[in-house]
Amino acid sequence: MTVPTVADELIARSNRLGSDPKNTNYAGGNTSAKGTAPDPVTGEDVELLWVKGSGGDLGTLGTNGLAVLRLDRLRGLVDTYPGVEREDEMVAAFDYCLHGRGGAAPSIDTAMHGLVDAPHIDHLHPDAGIAIATAVDGEELTAKIFGDKVVWVPWRRPGFQLGLDISAIKEANPQAIGCVLGGHGISAWGDTSEECEARSLEIIDTAAAYIEKHGKPEPFGPALDGYGALPEAERRTKAAALAPVIRGLASMDAPQIGHFTDADVVLDFLAHSEHPRLASLGTSCPDHFLRTKVKPMVLDLPADASIEDSIARLKELHEEYRKDYQAYYDAHATADSPAIRGADPAIVLVPGVGMFSFGRNKQTARVAGEFYINAINVMRGAEALSTYTPISDAEKFNIEYWALEEAKLQRMPKPKSHATRVALVTGAASGIGKAIATRLAAEGACVVIADLDLEKAQEAAAELGGPDVAVGVAANVADPAAVQAAMDEAVLAFGGVDLVVNNAGLSLSKPLLETTEKDWDLQHNVMAKGSFLVSQAAARVMIAQEMGGDIVYIASKNSVFAGPNNIAYSATKADQAHQVRLLAVELGEFGIKVNGINPDGVVRGSGIFAGGWGANRAKTYGIEEEKLGEFYAQRTILKREVLPEHVANAAAMITGPDMTHTTGLHIPVDAGVAAAFLR
């Protein structure tokens, strides 16, 4: 039987605590353990600190997410500490306390874990704990709820001084099992990992039980007439109509990905009278407002307000929000402060509908929304017992524009070419469409896999990484209602749509006299009409966003080349090719580019060829079907077979940052077919 190491026990405890949202938010809080291990140089045992590193998540923490430091060196920093005015310098000093190689970078909270005299420490951000921490009389409530078992620590920004403060408080209160950090969260300690975890849970559960027992029944005030939740279908329809506009407003300074939730906790908050006051106070826990901004933008209209009135008011409120945020920045910035990072909201609340949250990618946007739900829960608890009183705007600014936070942002990797873009690809569960979706996702786009087969679309989305990267939706492109439903799902999943690829298609290889009216209508409905419907729905979204966009048609060499026995297919491809030109002219004023790609001979991996087209074309050319790809390659100028990935390359290129001034173009991806040269 293997005996767990100190690090193993710490990881197991962290995963248990982090997997339950009542204990802490995503990527919030940190845990630590102290122990001994041999010094690799001397072979002698040295005291070490294992602590969750910067940016990690407790629920998924692994060994590589821990920072390991020598305690003697870390504690030695106390003697060189220059004072609170220069405490940020201590973070760089942590690097000189590291033991061994690898592991995570030490976080700002490392001092708390190293300086407090306890073998095991948890620092968490539970909603119930922060509710006590943000109550106007939080210190008195802490004493009333916990007696002397839990000690109040006045607000102080995370850092070296906070570690010294908690160390002194623990030493002065040997009976204490932990503390409530004003405006922030809780900490607990223990002699064993089990004891520390039990004490953390005791503090959290005791606080939650006290709120439940003693809190007033309507902490958010009485219900507001007309502000209750709309019926589900109605509110989601309204959300889909508002989402592109809201995303455009939230992206004025920098493009954002969106997330929507109509969770009961959000709808309940917005349905009661105190939500405007509480929302204007903003969040308090640093982990919260670093992701949600100081406060949300709240639509001040009832749930049944029209789409038109809601949009008009949202635009007015956005102007006010930007001015207010600029004033907040100007009031607190100093000559050394980083430049303003944008004045758009990260959270937008719409009564009766729900919450829209935004970030540089889907995960960031989703987590921002989750953090605001944490904030709502905090406000509920604080208002149930007392009065919610977050830390001051000055303190919020000092953390939001902290030099250490700025340095963390500057270390982030350079965004990929299609980061912050939302792409919808039709016929994307297989073949060329799947290759395009895969390439766009690899370039950083959020992708909507639209396909007639919902199950296969969802399977393809899962392969790309799941809902933070891709979603699968059903889409019969020949049905206007189905197209609109797919577009609504896209905007609710990611906030909007920036890039559409009309790829859905099929083909029947028949000569003129054997082509039926049904054959003709089927191909034209799917490709000519389908592309028109998808482009129309996408254009509405893109115009509402005011962020430009791309529409790409996967046409064909046959749109310009007259081949045998495919009258219906080639005619509808020619229709698609001309739609490119028409829409390029019409949509250019909105910054929307429209381009086409003309593939030829894509046999391997092609859904069309697998569906019988390949067999028919092989028969037409008098060759075996398995040699069709080789046949097509040999008739090209380059003598190369065309694969779905080659078409995907063209789609990524024409929609990427190097082709911002090209519209109305058709790109051949056919290895060179002289008869299909564009003239």
Side-chain angles (χ1 to χ4, degrees), residues 548-618:
D550 281 280
I551 298 176
V552 176
Y553 281 69
I554 305 302
S556 170
K557 171 213 69 175
N558 287 351
S559 66
V560 293
F561 172 77
N565 300 341
N566 61 357
I567 174 65
Y569 177 80
S570 294
T572 196
K573 285 298 179 183
D575 186 317
Q576 285 185 306
H578 199 48
Q579 284 185 40
V580 168
R581 304 180 187 98
L582 295 168
L583 296 188
V585 172
E586 184 173 342
L587 299 178
E589 67 175 291
F590 303 106
I592 301 170
K593 297 156 49 218
V594 187
N595 292 289
I597 298 173
N598 290 350
D600 180 48
V602 183
V603 178
R604 282 193 283 166
S606 168
I608 286 180
F609 276 86
W613 168 264
N616 287 329
R617 299 315 290 167

Side-chain angles (χ1 to χ4, degrees), residues 503-514:
N503 170 74
L506 76 162
S507 182
L508 303 172
S509 176
K510 294 182 180 180
L512 172 65
L513 298 183
E514 295 177 16

Side-chain angles (χ1 to χ4, degrees), residues 396-446:
K396 291 176 185 176
F397 182 88
N398 288 338
I399 291 179
E400 185 179 359
Y401 285 92
W402 202 351
L404 295 175
E405 186 66 26
E406 180 69 13
K408 185 189 297 184
L409 294 173
Q410 293 302 323
R411 290 195 299 269
M412 293 179 64
K414 182 181 178 182
K416 295 182 178 180
S417 64
H418 287 62
T420 73
R421 304 204 77 195
V422 181
L424 184 148
V425 184
T426 65
S430 62
I432 291 173
K434 187 175 182 180
I436 292 172
T438 301
R439 175 62 189 274
L440 294 178
E443 297 295 343
C446 293

Side-chain angles (χ1 to χ4, degrees), residues 111-150:
M112 176 197 306
H113 293 274
L115 302 182
V116 174
D117 185 18
H120 300 268
I121 298 173
D122 294 332
H123 167 58
L124 304 171
H125 299 149
D127 295 346
I130 305 175
I132 307 302
T134 56
V136 68
D137 53 351
E139 184 171 4
E140 292 79 7
L141 280 171
T142 299
K144 184 183 296 185
I145 297 169
F146 300 104
D148 64 356
K149 289 184 69 176
V150 177

Side-chain angles (χ1 to χ4, degrees), residues 56-78:
D57 172 55
L58 288 176
T60 56
L61 184 67
T63 305
N64 61 353
L66 295 174
V68 187
L69 301 93
R70 284 187 54 146
L71 269 175
D72 57 345
R73 296 184 65 82
L74 181 59
R75 289 170 174 166
L77 295 177
V78 174

Side-chain angles (χ1 to χ4, degrees), residues 378-536:
V378 166
M379 290 185 279
R380 177 187 289 107
E383 288 285 306
L385 296 178
S386 177
T387 302
Y388 174 65
T389 309
I391 62 174
S392 68
D393 280 0
E395 289 293 340
K396 291 176 185 176
F397 182 88
N398 288 338
I399 291 179
E400 185 179 359
Y401 285 92
W402 202 351
L404 295 175
E405 186 66 26
E406 180 69 13
K408 185 189 297 184
L409 294 173
Q410 293 302 323
R411 290 195 299 269
M412 293 179 64
K414 182 181 178 182
K416 295 182 178 180
S417 64
H418 287 62
T420 73
R421 304 204 77 195
V422 181
L424 184 148
V425 184
T426 65
S430 62
I432 291 173
K434 187 175 182 180
I436 292 172
T438 301
R439 175 62 189 274
L440 294 178
E443 297 295 343
C446 293
V447 181
V448 180
I449 307 286
D451 200 274
L452 193 61
D453 189 323
L454 175 60
E455 184 176 351
K456 288 184 177 179
Q458 292 173 335
E459 289 174 357
E463 290 176 22
L464 293 184
D468 281 348
V469 177
V471 296
V473 303
N476 176 359
V477 297
D479 180 351
V483 168
Q484 188 59 53
M487 200 64 62
D488 287 351
E489 286 192 64
V491 301
L492 291 180
F494 298 116
V497 172
D498 306 296
L499 192 167
V500 163
V501 180
N502 283 306
N503 170 74
L506 76 162
S507 182
L508 303 172
S509 176
K510 294 182 180 180
L512 172 65
L513 298 183
E514 295 177 16
T515 300
T516 66
E517 185 179 351
K518 183 179 179 181
D519 295 334
W520 178 272
D521 288 344
L522 175 61
Q523 293 186 85
H524 279 72
N525 281 340
V526 171
M527 290 181 284
K529 178 184 173 183
S531 296
F532 155 71
L533 292 174
V534 171
S535 297
Q536 184 182 63

Side-chain angles (χ1 to χ4, degrees), residues 233-408:
E234 186 178 344
R235 70 174 178 262
R236 293 186 72 82
T237 297
K238 187 172 183 179
L242 295 178
V245 174
I246 295 174
R247 180 178 178 230
L249 296 175
S251 300
M252 183 168 287
D253 287 320
Q256 302 287 306
I257 294 294
H259 175 75
F260 171 74
T261 179
D262 54 357
D264 290 344
V265 62
V266 176
L267 296 171
D268 177 70
F269 176 63
L270 295 172
H272 289 82
S273 62
E274 293 301 312
H275 83 261
R277 172 182 67 86
L278 293 169
S280 69
L281 291 173
T283 54
S284 185
C285 176
D287 267 31
H288 293 182
F289 62 76
L290 280 173
R291 292 164 173 82
T292 65
K293 276 200 163 171
V294 185
K295 60 183 180 181
M297 187 174 95
V298 186
L299 179 61
D300 53 1
L301 294 178
D304 62 356
S306 69
I307 299 294
E308 294 74 20
D309 288 348
S310 297
I311 289 174
R313 183 58 180 149
L314 283 165
K315 291 182 176 180
E316 293 173 350
L317 289 168
H318 181 246
E319 289 185 18
E320 295 172 14
Y321 187 98
R322 288 178 60 84
K323 290 177 183 177
D324 185 58
Y325 188 86
Q326 184 69 57
Y328 155 79
Y329 179 86
D330 293 341
H332 304 294
T334 67
D336 298 327
S337 296
I340 191 170
R341 298 195 192 101
D344 298 319
I347 303 291
V348 178
L349 303 173
V350 180
V353 176
M355 172 173 61
F356 300 85
S357 54
F358 298 92
R360 65 184 180 276
N361 54 44
K362 173 64 176 184
Q363 184 195 52
T364 306
R366 174 177 54 77
V367 168
E370 292 173 1
F371 272 74
Y372 199 77
I373 287 177
N374 288 132
I376 292 173
N377 292 333
V378 166
M379 290 185 279
R380 177 187 289 107
E383 288 285 306
L385 296 178
S386 177
T387 302
Y388 174 65
T389 309
I391 62 174
S392 68
D393 280 0
E395 289 293 340
K396 291 176 185 176
F397 182 88
N398 288 338
I399 291 179
E400 185 179 359
Y401 285 92
W402 202 351
L404 295 175
E405 186 66 26
E406 180 69 13
K408 185 189 297 184

